[in-house]
Amino acid sequence: MKSQLRRVIVGNVTYAVEIDPAYPLTAGWQVSLQEACRAHPAALVWDDLIVKKRRGFRPEAFRLVWPRPDKLFYQQVDHAGRCAVRADFVGDEAPGATSRALLRIIDEERPIAFSSDILRFTRSVKSSVYNPIAPPPAPSARADKISVIINYRDQPELMEACLESLASQKLRSRLEVLLIDNQSSPDSLARIASSAARLLSAKAEVCHIRYDKPFNKSAQDNLGIETASGDVTVMMNNDAAFTHLDALQTISDWAATPGVASAGPLFTGEGGRLVSSGVFIRPAQKSSHTIIRENELVTFASTVHYSAGSSFGCAAVSKAAWANVGPLDTETFRSQYNDADVFIRALRLGLKHVYVGSVTCHHEPGRSEARTKQLIQNLLRQLMERHPDAAQYAGTDPDLIKYGALPQFESARANAWMTLVHKTRQLGRLARTIGGRT
C-alpha cells in the first residue's frame, strides 16, 4: 500500500501529513499534532520508536532522536511518513511530497519543531526506512596541501599498516607526513624510518620530529600542527588505517570548506564492526549528567551530516579553523577528551563538524593507549564542568534514548509488539529477582 497524504487543520493553518501504513503512528497522533503546532511552525517532525534486543532476548524500546535541521543530512534521507508540513509548502500529491517540502523549508531557514509525543513505530534500526535515497553531498572546497600527523612510540607493525594505508590514498592535493616519535627504541625508529621512506618517498614530504618527554598527545599534536605547512592538518592515530582510497582527500576537502571546524570518517573495527559513526552530545538525564561520546548507531552511518565533533583518532582540521579555536589543552586533557574540549569550543564559535560516513577508517579504540573507566569518568566530569553550556549543542547527531512508558499505537500489530516488550521486561525483572535470592 502506497503512502497517503492527509490534511489536518490546526487553528487556521492546514498541515499536510504523509502516512505510511508500514510504519504506524501512536494513537491520538492527530490530537498531539494539533497541540504541538499551536506555535504554527512551518513543519513539525516527530521521532521513531525502535525495538532492539539487549542482553540476550530481552527487547527494549528506544526513541530515535533525529538531528536538528541539517542541509547535508536531510537531502539524503526520505522523511515521507514522519513529518507534518504546512500545506502551502506542498506542491503536489505524489509520494514524498512532504519530504520535498521539508527540504524547501530548511533551505529557506523557516522554523521547524520536533515532538517526542508523536512516535512512528519502525521496529528495527535496520529497517529499510533508514536507507539513504540520495548519494552523499560532496565538499565544495579542496585542500591545497594536506599535512598528516602521526604520533607513535615503538609498535612498528602498527605504524607500517598506517603508512601503507596513506601510501594507497588517491590524492589531488600535495601531501606532507609528520611522524612524531615519543621515546621509541633505536630499533623501532630505524624500522619506522625505513618503512616511511619505502612507502611514502614518491608521493609525500616526510618529516621526522622527536618529542623527548613523557607521553602527552595534546602537546605532541600541538607541536605537529605548529610544524605543519598544509592548509589542512589530519591528526591520525598510529593504530588507524584508511580503508577507502579517497578517504584522506574527502575528509580534508570537507575540512577546507568555510565554516567547518573538523571532518572525520566512519570508523570500523575487526570484521567490519561499526566503531563510530560520529559524535553526539546527550543532555543530562535524571540519573546522569551531560555526556559527549562517539556514536555507535548504525542508522544513517553511511550518510554525511553535521556532528558534535570528529574523533582525533582520524580527523581533518583546517589551519584557519585551528587558529580560531586554539590549541589542545596540554594540562587537563593530555589525551582523553582533548578533542572533545576542542569540539565544544568550535561549536561555541559557530563552526561545524562534519561526519563523513561515505568513507571509512579502520580503528580499534584503546590499542595504542591504556584506559581505565575511572579515568574516563573523571575527565568527562572535568570536561562538563568546563563547558556547562554543552547541552545546548545536543541534537546535531542521531541518538537512541531508552524509552520509558510504552505508548499505544493505532495499529494492532504495533500494540502487539509493545505488549511483547512489556511482558519480556517483566520476565527479565522476575528472573533477576529470583536469581538474587538464590
Side-chain angles (χ1 to χ4, degrees), residues 9-29:
I9 299 175
V10 182
N12 296 321
V13 181
T14 301
Y15 282 83
V17 182
E18 196 166 346
I19 303 299
D20 187 338
Y23 305 103
L25 285 164
T26 46
W29 67 268

Side-chain angles (χ1 to χ4, degrees), residues 7 16 26 39-40 69 87 110 113 129 161 192 210 220 225 228 242 277 283 286 292 304 325 335 356 375 417 424 431:
R7 299 186 183 273
T26 46
H40 301 293
R110 301 251 182 174
V129 74
I192 290 168
R210 192 164 182 82
Q220 292 165 225
I225 291 175
F242 291 115
S277 59
K286 290 182 179 179
I292 179 170
V304 173
V325 176
S335 178
V356 188
L375 172 65
W417 263 98
T424 311

Side-chain angles (χ1 to χ4, degrees), residues 109-121:
E109 297 184 347
R110 301 251 182 174
I112 77 169
F114 286 80
S115 174
S116 59
D117 295 326
I118 307 172
L119 293 169
R120 185 179 66 162
F121 180 53

